[in-house]
C-alpha cells in the first residue's frame, strides 16, 4: 500500500474560483497530464460501454467456444495471435474459447469499480478519523493516533488475503474487495487530514468562526473541509492506482474476483500456463493493467503539482503570464 511518505505535502487551502482556473491552466500546460486524462477517459468509456460493445461484437464474456481451441494441444486457440478473427477481435481465451476482447472490457469494469470504490471508503474513513483526531482533545487524539499507527503497521496484503479467504464464496466479491481494501487502507489519509487540521486550527479564519459561536463540527464542515480538499484529492489520486494493483494481486492469488466474473488479475493468474503457447493472453491484460496504473500515476502527480503552489514553484509549472499575475 502507499505509505505516508508517498503523500504530497498538504496545500495551504482550497483555491478560490480564480485559483481553480489557474490550476486547470497548469494542468493544460502538461502534455503528460492531458495524455493520461485521455487514456483514462477512454478506458472508463470502454468499461461503461462494455455491454454495448459486446453486443456489437456479437459476443459475451461467458460463452465457451470449444471449436476455436485445439484440444490436441491442450486448448491453444486456432489461428495466429491467439485466434484473432472478424468475430473475435482480440482472439479467444485458451482452453475455453471465450472472447478475449469482451472479457477484457468486463475486467476493466471490475478493476476500476473496485479501485474507485475502495478509494472512496478510504477517503471517507480517513477524513472522519483525521478530523476527529485534529479537533479532539489530547486523549481523543492519542487514542485515534494509536489506532492509526496500528493500521499503518499491519501487513496489508497478508491480512487482505486472510479476510477475503474466510468470507463465504457467495458474498459478492467486488463488494468484498472494496470493503477489505477500504477498511484496511484509510490510515494514510487520516494522517494527512490530522496534520492539515492541526495547522488550520491556528489560522485566523478558523478562530473567527469559533468566536462567532460555531461548534467544532460546524467549523469543520464550513471552514476546514474546503481547505482539506486539495491534499485529500491529491492523495486519492495516488490511492487509485495502488488499489488497482491490490485488486489485481488478490485476484491473481485466487482470493479476489472468482470465475466466471472476468478480472485482469484473474486472467493473469490463469495465463501463467499459456505464456509460451499464447503470449497475447498474457500481454493484453498485463498491458492494460500497466497502462491504467501509469495513467493514474501520471495524472495524480500532475494534480499534486498543480494544487501545491510550492511544488509548482520548484518545478517551474505554469506560464510566465501566470507568474506575473
Amino acid at each position: 500500500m502507499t505509505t505516508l511518505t508517498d503523500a504530497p505535502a498538504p496545500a495551504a487551502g482550497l483555491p478560490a474560483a480564480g485559483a481553480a482556473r489557474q490550476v486547470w491552466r497548469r494542468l493544460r500546460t502538461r502534455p503528460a497530464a492531458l495524455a493520461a486524462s485521455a487514456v483514462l477517459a477512454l478506458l472508463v468509456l470502454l468499461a461503461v460501454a462494455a455491454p454495448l460493445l459486446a453486443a456489437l461484437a456479437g459476443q459475451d464474456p461467458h460463452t465457451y467456444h470449444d471449436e476455436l481451441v485445439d484440444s490436441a494441444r491442450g486448448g491453444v486457440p486456432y489461428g495466429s495471435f491467439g485466434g484473432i478473427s472478424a468475430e473475435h477481435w482480440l482472439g479467444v481465451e485458451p482452453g475455453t474459447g471465450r472472447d478475449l476482447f469482451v472479457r477484457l472490457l468486463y475486467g476493466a469494469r471490475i478493476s476500476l469499480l473496485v479501485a474507485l470504490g475502495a478509494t472512496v471508503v478510504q477517503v471517507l474513513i480517513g477524513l472522519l478519523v483525521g478530523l476527529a483526531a485534529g479537533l479532539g482533545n489530547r486523549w481523543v487524539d492519542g487514542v485515534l493516533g494509536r489506532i492509526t499507527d496500528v493500521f499503518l503497521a499491519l501487513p496489508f496484503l497478508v491480512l487482505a488475503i486472510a479476510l477475503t479467504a474466510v468470507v463465504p464464496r457467495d458474498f459478492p466479491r467486488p463488494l468484498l474487495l472494496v470493503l477489505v481494501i477500504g477498511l484496511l487502507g484509510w490510515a494514510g489519509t487520516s494522517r494527512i487530514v490530522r496534520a492539515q487540521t492541526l495547522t488550520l486550527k491556528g489560522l485566523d479564519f478558523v478562530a473567527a468562526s469559533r468566536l462567532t459561536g460555531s461548534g467544532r463540527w460546524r467549523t469543520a464542515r464550513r471552514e476546514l473541509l474546503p481547505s482539506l480538499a486539495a491534499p485529500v484529492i491529491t492523495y486519492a489520486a495516488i490511492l487509485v492506482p495502488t488499489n488497482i494493483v491490490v485488486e489485481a494481486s488478490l485476484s491473481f492469488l485466487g482470493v479476489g474476483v472468482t470465475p466466471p466474473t472476468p478480472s485482469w488479475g484473474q486472467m493473469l493468474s490463469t495465463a501463467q500456463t499459456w505464456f509460451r503457447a499464447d503470449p497475447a493472453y498474457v500481454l493484453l491484460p498485463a498491458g492494460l493493467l500497466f497502462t491504467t496504473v501509469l495513467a493514474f500515476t501520471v495524472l495524480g502527480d500532475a494534480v499534486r503539482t498543480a494544487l501545491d503552489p510550492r511544488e509548482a514553484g520548484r518545478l517551474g509549472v505554469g506560464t510566465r503570464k501566470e507568474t506575473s499575475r
Side-chain angles (χ1 to χ4, degrees):
M1 288 298 293
T2 303
T3 61
L4 189 59
T5 56
D6 296 323
L14 181 68
R21 288 193 294 270
Q22 187 181 50
V23 168
W24 170 238
R25 286 197 297 269
R26 286 172 178 165
L27 286 175
R28 289 191 302 174
T29 62
R30 297 174 65 91
L34 295 179
S37 300
V39 169
L40 292 175
L42 178 60
L43 285 171
V44 171
L45 179 62
L46 290 174
V48 171
L52 179 62
L53 293 173
L56 182 64
Q59 304 294 335
D60 69 78
H62 306 305
T63 300
Y64 284 46
H65 299 280
D66 296 330
E67 72 281 2
L68 299 178
V69 295
D70 188 355
S71 58
R73 298 174 58 198
V76 177
Y78 289 114
S80 303
F81 304 106
I84 290 179
S85 65
E87 292 80 20
H88 303 280
W89 299 343
L90 293 180
V92 297
E93 187 179 60
T96 65
R98 291 179 293 193
D99 187 81
L100 192 54
F101 171 72
V102 175
R103 288 187 65 79
L104 286 170
L105 290 179
Y106 278 86
R109 300 183 103 189
I110 295 297
S111 294
L112 294 175
L113 178 64
V114 170
L116 294 173
T119 300
V120 171
V121 174
Q122 289 168 332
V123 168
L124 289 177
I125 297 177
L127 193 60
L128 290 174
V129 175
L131 278 172
L135 293 174
N137 56 34
R138 182 175 300 179
W139 184 85
V140 172
D141 188 20
V143 171
L144 293 178
R146 299 296 78 76
I147 294 174
T148 302
D149 289 341
V150 169
F151 275 86
L152 283 172
L154 288 174
F156 178 86
L157 193 58
V158 174
L159 194 56
I161 291 172
L163 291 175
T164 52
V166 300
V167 174
R169 304 297 286 183
D170 57 351
F171 191 89
R173 303 306 283 188
L175 177 59
L176 175 62
L177 291 175
V178 168
L179 294 176
V180 169
I181 298 173
L183 293 175
L184 293 178
W186 54 266
T189 307
S190 174
R191 284 287 187 174
I192 292 173
V193 171
R194 174 187 175 275
Q196 183 73 343
T197 300
L198 291 175
T199 301
L200 293 171
K201 279 172 62 175
L203 299 183
D204 292 341
F205 72 96
V206 177
S209 176
R210 296 299 300 273
L211 289 174
T212 58
S214 298
R216 289 182 179 180
W217 292 107
R218 180 179 175 85
T219 300
R221 187 178 69 253
R222 300 189 60 180
E223 307 296 343
L224 296 181
L225 285 180
S227 298
L228 291 169
V232 169
I233 289 173
T234 53
Y235 192 65
I238 296 174
L239 287 174
V240 173
T242 303
N243 291 338
I244 290 176
V245 174
V246 171
E247 182 278 324
S249 301
L250 293 174
S251 296
F252 180 84
L253 295 171
V255 293
V257 177
T258 56
T261 304
S263 164
W264 291 345
Q266 179 196 108
M267 295 172 74
L268 286 173
S269 177
T270 58
Q272 295 178 84
T273 58
W274 302 101
F275 69 94
R276 291 184 182 274
D278 187 9
Y281 186 49
V282 181
L283 294 176
L284 286 172
L288 282 172
L289 182 62
F290 173 79
T291 301
T292 305
V293 171
L294 179 62
F296 268 114
T297 303
V298 170
L299 183 60
D301 180 71
V303 170
R304 173 182 60 83
T305 304
L307 286 173
D308 189 346
R310 293 169 297 176
E311 188 75 9
R314 287 194 295 268
L315 298 180
V317 177
T319 62
R320 185 174 303 173
K321 181 178 180 181
E322 289 175 337
T323 305
S324 64
R325 291 182 181 179

